[in-house]
Amino acid sequence: MQARTTAVFLWTILSATPQLAAAAAPTPLLAAAPTPPAPTVLATADAGPPMLTGLRPFTGPENTRIVFEFSRPVAFVAPDSDRAPALAITVAGEAIARAPSVPTLMRIRDGVIDSVEAVTGVDGARLKIWFHDSTAFRVVGLPAEGDQPFRVMVDARRSGAAQATERRLATIAQSKRRDRVRVIAVDAGHGGDDTGARGPRTVRVLEKDVTLAVAKALVDEINRIPGLRGELTRDGDYFVPLHERYHLAEKMKADLFVSIHANSSKRRGSGSGTEVYFLSLRGASDQADADLANAENAADLVGGVPPQSEDGLVSILYDVKRTSALEQSQLLAETVLDHVAADRRLESRGVKQAAFVVLKSVEFPSILVETAFINNPVEAKLLKSRDFQQQIAKQIAEGLRHYFSRSGVELRGAESQAIERSGQ
Ligand SMILES: [Zn+2]
């Protein structure tokens, strides 16, 4: 009887939770089962115990993040932060169900975390993480936000990694001076638990994967252009806070910052085309742009970064830098959009302004490219295709090259190539 109740409960949760229903879709048994009427499902799901619906690891250069996802908030006990060889998180006093997709034991073995165990039952849950070594960690409970459910997030620090990052960025800055090249920081939007926008039901694709693929292709294209060097702000599937993205670019002494994203319209499938943004200090061009900036800025909420107060830095020098950066950002946005719009598969929606956190540095011109609409089935297919990713990367890179010539900067390699040609 107990087992049957649980089975019915699992099925109703699977039907009620879109993400789980999608994950279960390839299983013929579940796909063939009749769908219960929606109101009954919701009532049953509310009545049942909370469920552990996800266990996901994300390995980044400086830390490994483990995300435990629950169907409803649970009261858990764990240290906020510490350094130890292992960590136990307990949920006591209530039964915890578990989605079939969540393993009891997950081996990570990425040099930071050895393995994760998740035991659930009628008396609660015991989540245990064994670190590779004695490791500094922090534990955060994140309330449900948008389409993200309640999560318990563990960040475990890779020892010595922060110093390694600093060294890597300093090396980029040094080689830039030595080789007299212009460095372009290419920022792949979202990552890790922050998936960004999603494709429609017919095209399974996530914004975080598209942005990384386009960003990598863009770095390759930039590196083909003499005098330019492309560097990524993230090169894998992990979360980077928004302010950290431009701080990385500042430390590598970048000359330009280009953030890659995919758009999503709330009105289903109605959006299409490319738009390029630069920072607005006064708010957005219109309500839709303000909504978009809010959606992109919400990445930090998803990733568990506490809201930051605005930098209180006010000086004449700062104002001059900011004005110059904004003027150059507008020129950069216009030039890049011209080149992307050359691809007739995408309509140009124009250059726009909104208060994107990631564009806030005053050290270099910054733009955010909303490549295409990922919730539009036609454009989602484009965004998913290798061919299109390379094509749009090539056009953005051409736009970057043209930007330097429009702003009167002669690129070093281009100049020596010209001399070689004239000498022949
Ligand atoms: Zn985005």
Side-chain angles (χ1 to χ4, degrees):
M1 190 60 213
Q2 175 93 36
R4 241 179 96 190
T5 315
T6 310
V8 169
F9 169 73
L10 286 177
W11 163 239
T12 50
I13 290 278
L14 281 166
S15 315
T17 314
Q19 209 174 330
L20 278 171
T27 314
L29 185 65
L30 288 175
T35 311
T40 320
V41 169
L42 288 174
T44 318
D46 281 348
M51 175 185 263
L52 178 64
T53 51
L55 161 50
R56 288 190 301 276
F58 298 103
T59 300
E62 292 182 28
N63 67 7
T64 296
R65 174 171 285 191
I66 302 290
V67 179
F68 300 98
E69 188 181 285
F70 291 88
S71 60
R72 288 211 304 278
V74 295
F76 65 93
V77 177
D80 288 343
S81 63
D82 202 354
R83 171 182 280 279
L87 160 68
I89 302 169
T90 51
V91 182
E94 61 178 329
I96 303 290
R98 150 208 214 91
S101 59
V102 179
T104 313
L105 184 69
M106 185 184 276
R107 298 204 188 284
I108 313 280
R109 294 186 175 157
D110 64 354
V112 178
I113 291 178
D114 185 72
S115 52
V116 182
E117 187 187 54
V119 177
T120 55
V122 288
D123 54 353
R126 199 184 79 246
L127 314 170
K128 190 147 189 195
I129 299 178
W130 284 274
F131 301 115
H132 181 74
D133 223 332
S134 184
T135 296
F137 63 83
R138 70 176 186 127
V139 184
V140 187
L142 289 171
E145 180 77 44
D147 61 354
Q148 294 275 2
F150 176 84
R151 289 161 294 157
V152 177
M153 201 175 76
V154 179
D155 277 332
R157 207 175 307 149
R158 185 181 293 275
S159 74
Q163 296 87 324
T165 300
E166 294 294 327
R167 281 198 299 275
R168 186 178 74 83
L169 297 170
T171 306
I172 295 171
Q174 278 162 12
S175 67
K176 169 192 155 154
R177 268 200 303 277
R178 188 190 60 220
D179 305 339
R180 292 200 288 137
V181 293
R182 304 279 162 169
V183 170
I184 297 160
V186 178
D187 176 54
H190 311 278
D193 207 32
D194 167 26
T195 55
R198 290 160 190 271
R201 205 185 296 230
T202 47
V203 189
R204 295 190 71 176
V205 59
L206 298 175
E207 184 184 355
K208 67 170 182 177
D209 297 327
V210 170
T211 60
L212 185 59
V214 173
K216 283 182 169 172
L218 177 54
V219 164
D220 289 345
E221 291 297 333
I222 289 169
N223 289 339
R224 280 177 217 269
I225 300 175
L228 294 186
R229 184 166 297 162
E231 295 286 348
L232 292 165
T233 56
R234 78 166 168 102
D235 62 1
D237 186 16
Y238 53 88
F239 176 75
V240 184
L242 294 170
H243 63 276
E244 185 62 26
R245 294 169 183 260
Y246 64 78
H247 285 159
L248 288 168
E250 287 172 354
K251 286 176 186 166
M252 60 174 83
K253 299 274 184 257
D255 296 279
L256 299 178
F257 182 89
V258 180
S259 190
I260 304 294
H261 286 257
N263 217 327
S264 182
S265 148
K266 280 189 184 141
R267 283 174 298 140
R268 210 185 162 101
S270 60
S272 65
T274 305
E275 50 199 24
V276 180
Y277 281 84
F278 68 102
L279 182 66
S280 165
L281 300 172
R282 284 193 301 268
S285 332
D286 64 29
Q287 190 54 45
D289 299 341
D291 291 345
L292 179 66
N294 286 338
E296 301 289 18
N297 290 345
D300 274 358
L301 284 177
V302 175
V305 179
Q308 299 221 319
S309 58
E310 286 292 308
D311 294 347
L313 184 61
V314 178
S315 71
I316 292 171
L317 179 63
Y318 181 85
D319 277 349
V320 170
K321 271 180 140 174
R322 189 170 64 180
T323 305
S324 160
L326 278 181
E327 284 171 5
Q328 290 302 112
S329 297
Q330 180 167 9
L331 177 65
L332 177 62
E334 288 165 356
T335 314
V336 166
L337 184 63
D338 281 352
H339 283 79
V340 174
D343 185 334
R344 295 297 172 83
R345 287 175 291 185
L346 292 175
E347 132 198 30
S348 164
R349 297 169 62 92
V351 165
K352 297 181 174 181
Q353 279 186 275
F356 290 103
V357 170
V358 80
L359 302 180
K360 285 203 166 167
S361 178
V362 297
E363 297 299 329
F364 34 68
S366 304
I367 57 168
L368 187 146
V369 182
E370 293 282 358
T371 47
F373 279 73
I374 200 167
N375 69 326
N376 170 329
V378 175
E379 298 197 352
K381 269 187 208 139
L382 283 178
L383 287 169
K384 207 178 168 178
S385 88
R386 190 88 198 106
D387 173 59
F388 177 82
Q389 291 166 355
Q390 274 164 349
Q391 187 57 35
I392 195 164
K394 198 174 191 140
Q395 281 159 331
I396 295 170
E398 275 309 313
L400 298 173
R401 187 218 299 261
H402 194 199
Y403 162 81
F404 283 108
S405 75
R406 281 182 81 176
S407 49
V409 174
E410 192 156 11
L411 297 173
R412 184 177 177 248
E415 162 203 315
S416 61
Q417 278 190 341
I419 292 167
E420 278 167 29
R421 272 199 300 275
S422 65
Q424 279 170 355

